[in-house]
Amino acid sequence: MSTIQIKDRHFREYLSQDEIQARVDAIVQELSGKFSDKHPVFIVVLRGAFMFASDILKKFNHPCEIEFVRLTSYAGMQSTGKINITQPLKEEIVRGRDIIILEDIVDSGLTMDFFTKYIQSLEPASVTLVSFLFKPENLQKEVKIDITGFVIPELFVVGYGLDYDGEGRNLPAVYQLAL
Ligand code: IMP
Ligand code: MG
């Protein structure tokens, strides 16, 4: 089992590249079944979802548009609970459209509770939330995730887009904090 160090912490591999790619393929199949003739708008939540979104979108071979937002709430290993939109969305693209949100992880749920309400306020035709990871033990807000990549336990994870204090996003697998 491979172990890595990022800054002061040790992490061990938790989800391999092969496991992740197999799950990505299944998610793309599900999305293709629902949206192949719908011309959806994917909204990629930066920065954590960039790698997941890239893998999904390379395989989604149907007409679609792609937008990016940047939401921030975390400092180090803690959510601050206060959500900021630091890269805003082109709001006019949302109205009447089928929106597919691609997020890296739902933890407390505060970020996606805030963001899905914001998207709903822009009057889309539908909203589908796809989260690569879901940590249900820490949930503080009822967030409806339509498609979850993997449900994981409470431990902090890094890699495949997710960072620990700015590092580790480029790792192609997911690593879990080794206690
Ligand atoms: P929430 O608002 O608590 O649901 O957290 C949302 C954001 O916190 C996610 O989009 C991630 O960017 C970040 N986050 C939550 N848990 C982790 C983790 O285990 N590792 C890295 N980032 C995390
Ligand atoms: Mg995120």
Side-chain angles (χ1 to χ4, degrees):
M1 182 62 73
S2 74
T3 302
I4 55 163
Q5 180 168 1
I6 301 175
K7 298 191 171 174
D8 54 333
R9 303 284 186 155
H10 294 272
F11 294 85
R12 64 170 170 274
E13 191 177 289
Y14 180 67
L15 298 170
S16 71
Q17 289 189 61
D18 287 350
E19 283 174 273
I20 293 170
Q21 292 310 317
R23 190 70 191 108
V24 163
D25 289 348
I27 292 171
V28 171
Q29 248 191 331
E30 192 171 342
L31 291 174
S32 298
K34 285 184 183 155
F35 295 101
S36 58
D37 56 354
K38 291 233 149 86
H39 204 124
V41 179
F42 285 90
I43 299 180
V44 180
V45 182
L46 297 174
R47 289 174 281 181
F50 83 93
M51 201 176 279
F52 178 53
S54 167
D55 283 349
I56 295 269
L57 291 164
K58 275 182 283 184
K59 293 177 171 170
F60 184 82
N61 291 314
H62 309 284
C64 64
E65 286 164 72
I66 306 172
E67 290 293 324
F68 299 90
V69 278
R70 187 162 164 205
L71 307 175
T72 47
S73 72
Y74 251 59
M77 291 194 187
Q78 288 292 315
S79 176
T80 61
K82 188 174 171 296
I83 319 305
N84 296 299
I85 302 183
T86 55
Q87 178 178 314
L89 190 69
K90 267 198 269 160
E91 293 191 342
E92 61 281 8
I93 208 170
V94 176
R95 180 185 292 271
R97 300 295 297 276
D98 291 297
I99 303 298
I100 305 172
I101 300 169
L102 298 179
E103 170 63 315
D104 57 355
I105 185 167
V106 173
D107 180 18
S108 70
L110 295 171
T111 305
M112 279 304 110
D113 176 64
F114 164 85
F115 189 65
T116 52
K117 284 176 179 158
Y118 164 69
I119 292 296
Q120 290 289 4
S121 77
L122 302 174
E123 304 183 334
S126 70
V127 179
T128 300
L129 174 58
V130 183
S131 186
F132 172 56
L133 300 175
F134 176 36
K135 269 197 235 172
E137 284 163 50
N138 198 23
L139 203 63
Q140 295 173 36
K141 292 272 185 182
E142 194 78 15
V143 173
K144 182 176 159 280
I145 307 174
D146 298 282
I147 303 177
T148 302
F150 298 91
V151 178
I152 66 167
E154 176 59 35
L155 281 182
F156 190 83
V157 288
V158 70
Y160 200 67
L162 293 111
D163 71 305
Y164 165 48
D165 212 12
E167 290 187 22
R169 293 189 196 276
N170 55 318
L171 295 163
V174 170
Y175 292 76
Q176 199 177 48
L177 187 63
L179 294 175

